[in-house]
Amino acid sequence: MQVSKRATVTILLVLAWMWLASGLNFTPIAAAAPSSGEPRVTTWEPAAGEGYAVLYGTIEDEGNSEIEEFGFYVGSPGYEDKEIKIKFEGRIDDNDTFQYKLSGLDDAVVYYVRAYAINDNGDGYGSLLYFEVDKAPPKVSVFTVGSIQYSLWGTPKEMDVAPYIKDSRTFMPIRYGAYAMGLTNEDIVWDEASRTVNLTKGGSTVKLVVGSYNMWVNGIPTPMDVVPEITEGRTFLPIAWLATAFRQTAVWDASAGTITIELE
């Protein structure tokens, strides 16, 4: 019988997904046979999609005492020290199946998964299975000159200001362009006193000063050919500069008057 379990999932480590070293054998490792009342567990083939995989495990036999903990070990061959443990707590019985959807996976990496369960008598493990995922499509946002309507990753949105063209350059409100690059409000800080915008994403920080031809990327000044300016209470800049700083792609379509940003 397959059931759905609500459980608290604890991620104990952050998995650094990396390329699989060449020449490794992908033959699954057989499950360890219970010897003194520990659980008997099966790992099922994951259901992989675009950047994600759904992991499945079944408690075939809980052993001589109740299951205290169950879940999955996930990693990449050759980097077992970066392995993560997905932990469930709660009641589970014989023949019950549990699952977990793991997102943000890299299509260039080979992963492994192994289901496990623990009772008072010891640990039981399923087979070690290898899997790959499909490449996730890029998140595309589209802005149009003169329009406050825009599309953020396929969802229609509305701004309080519109992009415009000045001196043959397309100026966009920095905040909304940053949203398209995956930044949140917490990542975008405006300092009124210094008229400075500070943006942070991952390990990169970008500082822009209204009226300055310099953009500071991780503290290093980068000269621009245009300065940020304030229009209708918003700070504007040709978005190509911000895209370059965060290593994203911004494409200008002159015939349609649109700016397309792809978040990779």
Side-chain angles (χ1 to χ4, degrees), residues 17-18 33 54 75 94 104 109 117 155 194-195 199 210 236 260 262:
W17 305 117
M18 306 177 73
V54 181
D94 291 352
V109 174
T155 301
S194 61
R195 293 163 63 86
L199 306 105
V210 172
F236 281 74
T260 300
E262 288 191 5

Side-chain angles (χ1 to χ4, degrees), residues 60-192:
E60 304 292 353
D61 186 343
E62 66 178 3
N64 291 345
S65 61
E66 289 186 0
I67 301 294
E68 300 173 352
E69 176 188 318
F70 58 98
F72 303 98
Y73 287 97
V74 186
S76 184
Y79 302 97
E80 286 78 5
D81 59 324
K82 305 297 184 182
E83 182 179 76
I84 66 169
K85 181 182 182 181
I86 301 170
K87 175 183 174 182
F88 295 79
E89 295 175 341
R91 177 66 184 169
I92 192 167
D93 299 314
D94 291 352
N95 300 316
D96 282 358
T97 295
F98 53 97
Q99 66 183 63
Y100 181 72
K101 184 176 181 179
L102 192 61
S103 302
L105 302 181
D106 191 335
D107 67 293
V109 174
V110 174
Y111 300 99
Y112 65 78
V113 60
R114 190 172 200 173
Y116 79 93
I118 300 173
N119 67 11
D120 287 339
N121 295 284
D123 302 354
Y125 298 93
S127 297
L128 189 70
L129 300 182
Y130 297 91
F131 67 95
E132 298 176 84
V133 300
D134 299 328
K135 185 174 183 179
K139 296 180 177 179
V140 178
S141 301
V142 181
F143 300 82
T144 303
V145 170
S147 174
I148 62 173
Q149 309 296 325
Y150 73 106
S151 171
L152 179 66
W153 307 343
T155 301
K157 297 283 186 177
E158 185 174 294
M159 303 179 284
D160 53 5
V161 289
Y164 58 85
I165 295 177
K166 177 182 176 181
D167 298 330
S168 301
R169 303 299 299 275
T170 304
F171 282 73
M172 274 189 55
I174 291 174
R175 179 171 296 274
Y176 294 101
Y179 290 160
M181 297 179 199
L183 280 74
T184 65
N185 284 328
E186 290 73 22
D187 302 322
I188 308 165
V189 179
W190 165 252
D191 181 48
E192 180 66 33

